[in-house]
Amino acid sequence: MNTPRRLTWPYAVIALLAVAAAAFGLLHPAAASTPVKKKPGATALIKQNPPPTLFPDARIATIGKQAGEQRKKADALFARWKAAHGRARDDAAFAAWAARQVPAPPSAERRTAELHQVQALARTRTAAGEKAASWLELYGKKDIWKLYLHDQRELVPARQGAAEKAELKSALKLAKTIGDRLAAQDAQPAPFVLDPTLRPDKHVKPGAKGPYSYPSRHAARSAAAVTLLSALSPHRAADYEWMRAEVLYSRLYMAGHVTTDLLAGTLLGDLIGDYELAVGGH
């Protein structure tokens, strides 16, 4: 548990601030009495809804290993970008380049075979598994990674922490932007669209084509976050990789994606993580 930071302001300054606050309240009673609504942060959200028991390591090992294997591919590809562009930030140019590095969607035959794997996995679902997968689907996009970074920021100077927060925010945003663009371009229906019985709660309309699932935005965001966070705190890399595997497995478990969706998203996310590290000077 992190030790709370202690305020060390001189008492005179605190007294002056208290007087100013009281005066402001007298002069502007409406402003003083109206609470400012603030959207809960990742820490508050997860504190309100802590994780249930997640999937055992043996269940997530295969997709975790497959995702990890994308890193070398991403690093080799990014070396080409860096050789041409150095550490300069150019999000638009990088986004266009990164999108071109993601492989084309698999053949119809392969996607059908992967759909059958998802259907078989769906037959093994349990109430506990669905609860875990639902939690990971909800918080695996951003909040888990923001919470991890929040823990790291408690141990570094404020300026450094603010810079790292901005880097993670940028990485997550790029992952969504590029992922959304590719999904619309490649138009690969999610497994539960191809087989609505996999997710009756989604209420897929007959003839629906989307949502599209290639590449996985959960995977892209997770990989971008893991690449960045692991460089910032290498001794915790295994924890981040474990959580990424949990998130990815949940997407198979609840038929949001097939394996190639997840691996394409992971490759994209690793590229984004490398980019943020480079332009951030790490």
Side-chain angles (χ1 to χ4, degrees):
M1 182 178 294
N2 295 319
T3 302
R5 295 180 178 178
R6 301 175 66 181
L7 297 177
T8 58
W9 290 354
Y11 291 120
V13 176
I14 297 174
L16 286 173
L17 290 174
V19 171
F24 183 82
L26 291 173
L27 293 173
H28 303 277
S33 62
T34 303
V36 178
K37 292 184 178 180
K38 185 179 180 180
K39 185 178 179 181
T43 302
L45 289 171
I46 293 178
K47 186 176 181 180
Q48 292 167 9
N49 184 17
T53 300
L54 301 182
F55 297 103
D57 290 355
R59 296 286 295 274
I60 66 174
T62 298
I63 191 61
K65 181 180 179 181
Q66 290 173 315
E69 290 169 351
Q70 302 306 302
R71 183 63 191 270
K72 289 184 179 179
K73 298 178 185 178
D75 288 347
L77 288 169
F78 185 74
R80 302 176 192 173
W81 167 270
K82 190 175 178 181
H85 298 84
R87 295 180 177 275
R89 178 176 284 281
D90 188 341
D91 289 358
F94 172 77
W97 175 85
R100 294 194 297 271
Q101 310 315 305
V102 177
S107 66
E109 291 78 12
R110 181 174 178 182
R111 195 162 181 86
T112 298
E114 290 188 322
L115 174 62
H116 291 162
Q117 293 171 355
V118 171
Q119 290 169 326
L121 181 59
R123 291 192 287 271
T124 71
R125 287 179 191 163
T126 64
E130 291 186 8
K131 187 175 182 180
S134 296
W135 189 91
L136 289 160
E137 180 178 356
L138 180 61
Y139 295 111
K141 292 179 181 178
K142 297 184 295 183
D143 295 315
I144 287 172
W145 312 114
K146 289 181 177 180
L147 181 59
Y148 274 135
L149 182 63
H150 178 272
D151 288 346
Q152 287 190 24
R153 288 173 59 207
E154 292 294 302
L155 303 175
V156 300
R159 181 176 294 182
Q160 178 184 339
E164 292 174 357
K165 180 180 180 181
E167 289 168 355
L168 179 60
K169 181 178 180 180
S170 177
L172 294 173
K173 182 178 179 181
L174 268 175
K176 182 180 187 306
T177 298
I178 303 171
D180 286 349
R181 185 184 307 167
L182 284 171
Q185 170 187 303
D186 294 325
Q188 298 294 305
F192 67 80
V193 175
L194 297 173
D195 179 1
T197 66
L198 292 170
R199 289 293 297 272
D201 58 304
K202 292 292 187 180
H203 306 293
V204 177
K205 296 181 180 179
K209 298 183 181 299
Y212 301 126
S213 67
Y214 184 92
S216 163
R217 272 78 87 202
H218 270 83
R221 285 170 162 178
S222 295
V226 169
T227 299
L228 181 62
L229 293 172
S230 295
L232 300 178
S233 188
H235 63 286
R236 298 184 66 184
D239 288 342
Y240 306 142
E241 291 166 3
W242 165 77
M243 181 55 76
R244 176 181 61 189
E246 288 280 352
V247 172
L248 299 190
Y249 184 78
S250 76
R251 308 306 294 132
L252 293 173
Y253 193 83
M254 295 305 291
H257 294 284
V258 295
T259 300
T260 49
D261 297 342
L262 299 173
L263 299 185
T266 299
L267 178 67
L268 174 60
D270 283 339
L271 288 172
I272 293 168
D274 283 344
Y275 171 71
E276 286 297 335
L277 289 169
V279 299
H282 296 283

